[in-house]
Amino acid sequence: MYPEIITIQNFIATHGITIWLGKGVPIDEKLIPLTLKINNNTYNIHVVDEYEDLNYYNPVLNFIIVFRAIVTINESSDFLEWCKQEDLVPDNHNLLDYYKDICKAINCINSCFPNNEIDYFVSDLDFQLNTGVMQFLRR
């Protein structure tokens, strides 16, 4: 078993994290709405699932997908940069509203993580190249 998986499983248990498909209409055709519950707070998160990881119905994979999406927003310098990174059309006012909402929620979400910094505990290289822990999870 990979240590990253154990770390994520422990983190999920400690913070009562659940993730499920969101209800309603997606704000963009490239985004899938999910609902994240962490420490009794609920957030609507929209993710790009280019590798179709949500089809595995694996809580660890779902964790990685959701928190990668949040980190991408957190590390973007602004809305336009985030849209460019995710290949989204910035004319969509629903996207802007979502971006603003998540930016407001990030401080609360950060507080759940060590050093107040969101982490999904897997390297981007493993994620993108489907190696190591990601290859194991995607079997």
Side-chain angles (χ1 to χ4, degrees), residues 37-104:
K37 184 176 180 186
I38 181 169
N39 288 345
N40 294 316
N41 294 313
T42 304
Y43 305 96
N44 295 314
I45 309 295
H46 296 264
V47 301
V48 174
D49 187 18
E50 64 184 305
Y51 301 106
E52 299 183 359
D53 290 324
L54 296 173
N55 293 336
Y56 291 98
Y57 304 102
N58 180 320
V60 173
L61 263 176
N62 293 352
F63 175 95
I64 294 165
I65 298 301
V66 165
F67 287 100
R68 247 182 132 252
I70 296 170
V71 166
T72 300
I73 290 174
N74 191 38
E75 291 180 351
S76 66
S77 60
D78 60 26
F79 173 69
L80 293 175
E81 180 184 317
W82 173 67
C83 286
K84 186 175 183 179
Q85 287 174 322
E86 298 291 3
D87 193 30
L88 301 168
V89 178
D91 298 3
N92 183 335
H93 296 292
N94 292 328
L95 282 176
L96 179 58
D97 291 341
Y98 167 70
Y99 181 86
K100 289 177 182 179
D101 288 344
I102 292 303
C103 286
K104 289 177 191 173

Side-chain angles (χ1 to χ4, degrees), residues 4 18-19 48 57 62 83 95 110-111 126-128 135:
E4 296 93 328
T18 53
I19 298 166
V48 174
Y57 304 102
N62 293 352
C83 286
L95 282 176
N110 272 340
S111 69
D126 277 359
F127 185 87
Q128 293 169 346
Q135 186 176 56

